[in-house]
Amino acid sequence: MSTVAAENAQQLLDRVIHRIAPVWPLDSFVAVNPYWGFADRSFSEVAAQLQGTVGERVIMDRRWYADLLQNGKLNMVDILQATEDLGLDVDEEGWREYLRESSELPMRLPRLPELMDLRGHASVSRYVVEQISHFLAAYYDRGQSLWSIPKDPKTGLFGTWRQYTLADRSLGPMGLRPVRSQLLALSSNGAAARQWALQTMGIPQPAEEAYLLVLLKSIGGWASWCRYLLWQAELQGCSDEDLLDLLTIRMVWEALLRQTAQSKVLERWHRQIQAWIVDDKSADMEDARRGEVLLRASEIAYRRQVATSIRRQPAKKKNSTAPLVQAAFCIDVRSEVFRRHLEGVMPTLDTIGFAGFFGVLLDYRRQGDYAPRTQTPVLLNPGVHVMEQGTKAIIERRFRRLRRGAEWKHFKLSAASCFSFVETAGLSYVGRLLADTMGWHRPSIPPDEAGLSAAERATLQCVLPESLTLQERVAMAEFILTGLGLNRGVAPIVLLAGHGSSNTNNPHRAGLDCGACAGQTGEVNAKAAAGLLNDPQVRKSLVDKGWDLDPRCCFLPALHDTTTDRVEILGGMDDPRLDAGLLAELRQALEKAANLTRLERMLRLEPDVRDPETVARNMAYRGRDWSQVRPEWALAGNAAFIAAPRWRTREMNLAGRAFLHDYDVGKDPDFAVLTLIMTAPLVVANWINMQYYGSIVDNQRQGCGNKVLHNVVGGTIGVLEGNGGDLRIGLSEQSLRDSNSGLQHEPLRLSAFVEAPIEAMDRIIDGNGALGQLVNNRWLTVIQIAPDGSLFERRAAGNWVKM
């Protein structure tokens, strides 16, 4: 292969692997936009491409929208408006005829193993995926398996797979014994194997890139895992070859099968590829554009609900005194419900919405851990390294308890004892089984609590590094206060409430915690921020610089449990500056708001349960019940992002569907906070929104199927559905729908309402590549809230259309 040809091939492979979105491991599970690798292209173009190559659906079937129209949840006026907005030339009768017709699936690229499958015989296409998946599960194992594949950096992923496959005895029963001799003759070098596979497959150039994408998507779950490894390496300015090696493995399999397949199968394969190349794809694109029109029409209907409720001017207050308490919550949609009720039961309190990392870009290392864990949005690099601080005795006790547990588990699972374990120790498990069944025990213990009693845990602290100078600490404090909008008046009590979720027997439990904190709870961030803002030296420096901080002001860290809606204050209550009466009033208000929030959320979980005490018991039980597949609805229903002063939405019932970020442009003269909001929290909200969207429109490829059938693989890597197949990504069916009321998440792209000058937003969008692609290619919509409350939708830079 010539140098130019090799460079072209490398560019081709790089384009393919960067189409894959990453997936984070279970212990730091975060929502990811599954179409992140396609954000450089328009929404409808990607919909047509994925449907016409992989067979992946990006837009709901037209019958879905036909049913909405028939049921009155969608109207023709909105469809015609969306038609005009997207430049289509379709009249009302044309739409009614289109919605009456059945969808015609476009021709997609066939993979060779699919054509080798014979009825009544073991599936070759399924075997290829299973074989690769079994190897990767052992290769990447994180402590679940008692035997793992040794890794040699020099050999790499592809070379190790080659060795594994040469020793694999399952090839014979599948009728693929000749594969072994061909593989034995193939170089273990990944680059050489890729070159051989490309030449052997002989895919025509017009279909080459699409075919390689189809191959990688056939093992898409594991491809997403390898993309995560590459993502992490790129954050550190490094690289990782595993995703490219995984594509190589899949290419080599295809090339090996090409040499063993019957001639009539190969002939059929070539015919279908040629037919795909010459197929007129304009009809597919037209169908995708029409699908986007229907999607936009449903988004117009939702935006109308939000727009009619946004306040045009502040409500008249009975008294205009400054708030006695300010409570900052994460922008998570679950916080919207709690904030609304908390403001209702305590009028002297103001709530604030801010990303759950509270502006502290940190990672956190417990004593004894080998590596820190990230507590910031995954789009950002942590700049502060926080350490756990505790007495040596407590740390040693935790280590001993966890080690005993690990040794017991190893004994229970080892080959020497697994058959005799039930007879030997079975009776001792009766109590545990009964407690599991009755929901008597506590939920699964979070990592920070494992091995510790509540009293021991209370003594541990999150300590900022001593290497931070006073000047750096003051700068961090100023950043937090500015982001929270507290640069003009601070209340005597400021509550910083992160959030987490308490539930058991759920592999994806980290995904119910704070997605802004890399799948962790906001506890560490709240403690670190409160400790910094309570630091006497920092406070004195802030006052000296002109900050309006009441000497009595106290910052209290707290944690909002989104399963039970209980808010726990995590420390600082012995501060002598605290007003005991005001603190008691706050704690009472938090309990009342929790009751009201539970009652509202229960309507979506069990509508027949209405008594407050019964609801509270039910919510607590859901988190402890080992068989509960739906401890909470998490972020299902999310559809809007609002960055504006709180008075715009105060007392407005957004039904837990909006990310609420407080923002006052009058306190942000250089638009630094606006830039942070639009380039970090807004993008994170898009990731969450598109994960739910993708899991709804095509759960087979972008969701993880039936939660009841999940089996954890590799310790913390992910889940399989059943005992094999590809690694599953996205959300389970149980997180999206129930048998009574159907879908709990409506598939809508995110609508971002931002109160800021148009010119400033245009500059930020055009100055940030990732955000610009999302907005300009219609993966999310930005809407300006003008000072008078009017709304303007951004169609292009400088082109804002009044809604």
Side-chain angles (χ1 to χ4, degrees):
M1 183 182 290
S2 68
T3 303
V4 173
E7 290 178 354
N8 291 338
Q10 187 59 49
Q11 291 173 1
L12 169 67
L13 295 168
D14 284 343
R15 286 198 302 273
V16 171
I17 64 175
H18 280 91
R19 291 297 185 195
I20 303 297
V23 62
W24 265 253
L26 295 174
D27 57 350
S28 57
F29 191 79
V30 297
V32 177
N33 177 352
Y35 313 107
W36 184 250
F38 294 90
D40 61 328
R41 304 175 68 181
S42 73
F43 181 86
S44 54
E45 187 180 355
V46 174
Q49 178 190 358
L50 288 178
Q51 182 74 67
T53 53
V54 184
E56 180 177 325
R57 182 176 292 281
V58 179
I59 301 172
M60 294 291 278
D61 186 88
R62 71 181 74 171
R63 292 306 311 165
W64 159 263
Y65 294 105
D67 290 342
L68 291 182
L69 186 65
Q70 183 177 355
N71 297 333
K73 296 179 180 179
L74 185 63
N75 63 64
M76 185 57 68
V77 173
D78 289 337
I79 294 177
L80 295 176
Q81 178 63 58
T83 304
E84 181 181 342
D85 294 343
L86 293 179
L88 269 69
D89 184 21
V90 184
D91 59 16
E92 179 175 342
E93 185 53 39
W95 274 113
R96 294 193 183 279
E97 182 179 352
Y98 175 79
L99 291 170
R100 282 194 295 266
E101 296 173 351
S102 299
S103 301
E104 292 186 12
L105 295 178
M107 180 184 297
R108 68 176 182 85
L109 271 170
R111 289 180 277 117
L112 180 57
E114 294 175 315
L115 302 182
M116 296 176 67
D117 288 344
L118 298 174
R119 184 176 298 179
H121 293 74
S123 169
V124 175
S125 59
R126 188 176 303 165
Y127 170 77
V128 169
V129 173
E130 293 268 354
Q131 196 269 348
I132 297 173
S133 185
H134 288 164
F135 161 72
L136 294 174
Y139 183 83
Y140 288 118
D141 184 78
R142 291 177 150 197
Q144 179 175 344
S145 174
L146 298 182
W147 297 285
S148 59
I149 295 178
K151 300 179 183 63
D152 182 354
K154 295 180 181 179
T155 306
L157 180 67
F158 173 76
T160 307
W161 169 81
R162 178 179 173 275
Q163 295 172 355
Y164 172 90
T165 306
L166 288 172
D168 189 350
R169 299 302 177 188
S170 65
L171 295 171
M174 288 298 301
L176 299 174
R177 197 181 303 276
V179 164
R180 187 177 181 279
S181 59
Q182 295 164 10
L183 189 59
L184 189 62
L186 181 63
S187 169
S188 61
N189 178 270
R194 284 190 290 275
Q195 179 180 337
W196 172 82
L198 277 174
Q199 293 174 344
T200 303
M201 286 190 296
I203 306 298
Q205 191 276 331
E208 195 170 35
E209 183 171 342
Y211 198 86
L212 293 180
L213 178 64
V214 168
L215 292 183
L216 196 53
K217 281 275 192 176
S218 70
I219 192 76
W222 284 107
S224 293
W225 169 256
C226 292
R227 181 67 182 93
Y228 159 76
L229 300 177
L230 177 58
W231 181 285
Q232 296 298 100
E234 289 173 338
L235 276 179
Q236 305 302 322
C238 305
S239 186
D240 187 277
E241 295 291 318
D242 283 11
L243 181 54
L244 187 58
D245 275 359
L246 177 58
L247 177 56
T248 305
I249 291 170
R250 192 60 192 83
M251 291 164 60
V252 166
W253 252 122
E254 204 79 358
L256 291 171
L257 292 175
R258 189 189 189 286
Q259 294 187 318
T260 60
Q262 297 178 2
S263 57
K264 61 180 181 180
V265 173
L266 290 176
E267 182 181 351
R268 182 182 169 202
W269 180 54
H270 284 301
R271 282 201 315 268
Q272 291 194 14
I273 291 177
Q274 288 296 334
W276 182 89
I277 291 173
V278 300
D279 180 55
D280 181 8
K281 296 177 178 52
S282 60
D284 300 341
M285 188 64 203
E286 177 67 17
D287 191 59
R289 293 181 68 195
R290 285 198 175 202
E292 187 179 1
V293 166
L294 296 171
L295 172 60
R296 178 175 172 81
S298 61
E299 291 166 349
I300 289 173
Y302 172 72
R303 288 178 203 146
R304 188 187 301 110
Q305 299 174 25
V306 178
T308 54
S309 301
I310 290 179
R311 288 187 183 276
R312 298 298 180 101
Q313 56 187 6
K316 293 182 179 179
K317 292 185 178 181
K318 295 180 180 179
N319 56 65
S320 56
T321 57
L324 298 178
V325 177
Q326 290 162 322
F329 288 84
C330 182
I331 63 171
D332 187 290
V333 298
R334 291 167 290 185
S335 300
E336 182 271 327
V337 184
F338 193 95
R339 288 178 62 186
R340 173 166 27 96
H341 290 304
L342 182 59
E343 290 167 341
V345 298
M346 190 173 181
T348 57
L349 174 146
D350 282 351
T351 66
I352 301 168
F354 191 75
F357 66 103
F358 294 115
V360 185
L361 296 174
L362 61 84
D363 59 26
Y364 177 65
R365 175 178 286 182
R366 296 183 310 167
Q367 292 193 29
D369 283 353
Y370 291 107
R373 67 171 192 242
T374 301
Q375 294 272 160
T376 65
V378 295
L379 297 167
L380 305 173
N381 253 330
V384 178
H385 308 290
V386 175
M387 286 290 295
E388 177 187 69
Q389 188 177 79
T391 65
K392 183 178 180 180
I394 288 180
I395 301 302
E396 288 180 348
R397 279 201 295 272
R398 177 171 66 187
F399 179 76
R400 286 197 301 270
R401 292 164 185 165
L402 294 179
R403 184 176 61 186
R404 282 199 301 269
E407 289 172 348
W408 177 251
K409 181 178 179 181
H410 186 276
F411 165 72
K412 183 171 64 173
L413 298 177
S414 67
S417 61
C418 62
F419 293 107
S420 59
F421 179 80
V422 174
E423 287 79 2
T424 306
L427 287 177
S428 67
Y429 265 62
V430 171
R432 173 61 188 266
L433 290 172
L434 185 60
D436 283 346
T437 304
M438 303 303 293
W440 290 341
H441 59 65
R442 61 177 300 179
S444 296
I445 301 175
D448 289 346
E449 299 180 33
L452 296 174
S453 67
E456 290 168 337
R457 176 173 165 248
T459 65
L460 298 177
Q461 300 295 322
C462 305
V463 181
L464 292 173
E466 295 181 359
S467 58
L468 282 176
T469 65
L470 177 60
Q471 184 179 3
E472 290 173 325
R473 291 169 183 256
V474 171
M476 285 177 58
E478 289 185 294
F479 182 80
I480 296 170
L481 292 172
T482 302
L484 291 171
L486 297 179
N487 43 1
R488 292 184 190 171
V490 182
I493 293 180
V494 180
L495 190 74
L496 302 179
H499 65 93
S501 175
S502 59
N503 58 88
T504 193
N505 195 29
N506 183 356
H508 290 100
R509 68 179 307 275
L512 299 178
D513 289 333
C514 185
C517 298
Q520 310 297 333
T521 73
E523 177 177 345
V524 171
N525 304 74
K527 284 182 174 180
L532 177 69
L533 294 168
N534 285 330
D535 185 298
Q537 288 183 303
V538 172
R539 290 283 283 273
K540 182 179 184 304
S541 297
L542 288 171
V543 173
D544 290 343
K545 294 184 72 171
W547 284 83
D548 180 16
L549 286 172
D550 190 318
R552 300 171 301 162
C553 174
C554 188
F555 292 84
L556 300 178
L559 190 68
H560 172 203
D561 186 331
T562 56
T563 301
T564 64
D565 278 307
R566 180 172 178 266
V567 173
E568 178 187 4
I569 299 176
L570 300 172
M573 289 180 288
D574 56 351
D575 194 309
R577 294 172 296 185
L578 273 177
D579 181 327
L582 183 58
L583 177 62
E585 184 182 355
L586 171 61
R587 298 183 73 169
Q588 187 178 23
L590 290 171
E591 187 56 39
K592 288 180 180 179
N595 281 329
L596 293 171
T597 304
R598 285 191 286 262
L599 285 168
E600 180 174 330
R601 288 202 304 113
M602 184 56 76
L603 294 176
R604 294 177 63 193
L605 289 165
E606 293 187 35
D608 296 335
V609 181
R610 302 292 178 87
D611 176 67
E613 292 185 6
T614 305
V615 167
R617 287 197 301 270
N618 185 291
M619 290 292 192
Y621 181 78
R622 298 182 82 86
R624 296 194 304 265
D625 182 5
W626 67 275
S627 65
Q628 179 58 255
V629 296
R630 197 175 292 110
E632 56 169 283
W633 280 118
L635 294 97
N638 72 85
F641 178 98
I642 303 176
R646 176 55 174 159
W647 64 261
R648 289 281 189 194
T649 55
R650 186 154 181 157
E651 300 176 8
M652 175 182 172
N653 187 348
L654 290 162
R657 302 188 66 184
F659 300 92
L660 283 183
H661 203 306
D662 280 52
Y663 176 68
D664 186 344
V665 69
K667 299 179 180 180
D668 186 30
D670 59 356
F671 303 115
V673 176
L674 179 64
T675 301
L676 174 67
I677 291 172
M678 295 188 67
T679 57
L682 177 56
V683 176
V684 170
N686 164 264
W687 278 32
I688 294 169
N689 171 261
M690 293 311 295
Q691 184 190 56
Y692 275 84
Y693 179 91
S695 297
I696 278 283
V697 298
D698 194 339
N699 195 268
Q700 180 62 34
R701 294 173 178 83
Q702 297 300 351
C704 61
N706 186 349
K707 185 185 290 188
V708 176
L709 303 179
H710 285 175
N711 284 303
V712 173
V713 61
T716 60
I717 291 176
V719 297
L720 301 177
E721 187 179 15
N723 64 351
D726 191 15
L727 190 72
R728 298 307 302 265
I729 59 175
L731 301 165
S732 70
E733 291 280 0
Q734 286 87 348
S735 296
L736 305 164
R737 66 180 82 231
D738 63 19
S739 56
N740 297 321
S741 53
L743 289 187
Q744 287 290 327
H745 180 79
E746 184 180 3
L748 302 174
R749 293 169 298 187
L750 192 69
S751 297
F753 298 80
V754 183
E755 184 164 353
I758 283 172
E759 298 77 14
M761 288 194 282
D762 275 339
R763 281 197 303 271
I764 294 168
I765 292 169
D766 294 339
N768 184 277
L771 178 63
Q773 289 180 349
L774 292 174
V775 175
N776 295 329
N777 291 321
R778 303 190 300 277
W779 295 96
L780 67 86
T781 301
V782 175
I783 299 158
Q784 186 218 22
I785 304 175
D788 65 355
S790 301
L791 301 176
F792 295 84
E793 179 188 340
R794 187 186 193 273
R795 302 287 176 80
N799 181 20
W800 296 72
V801 178
K802 188 172 184 178
M803 288 175 55

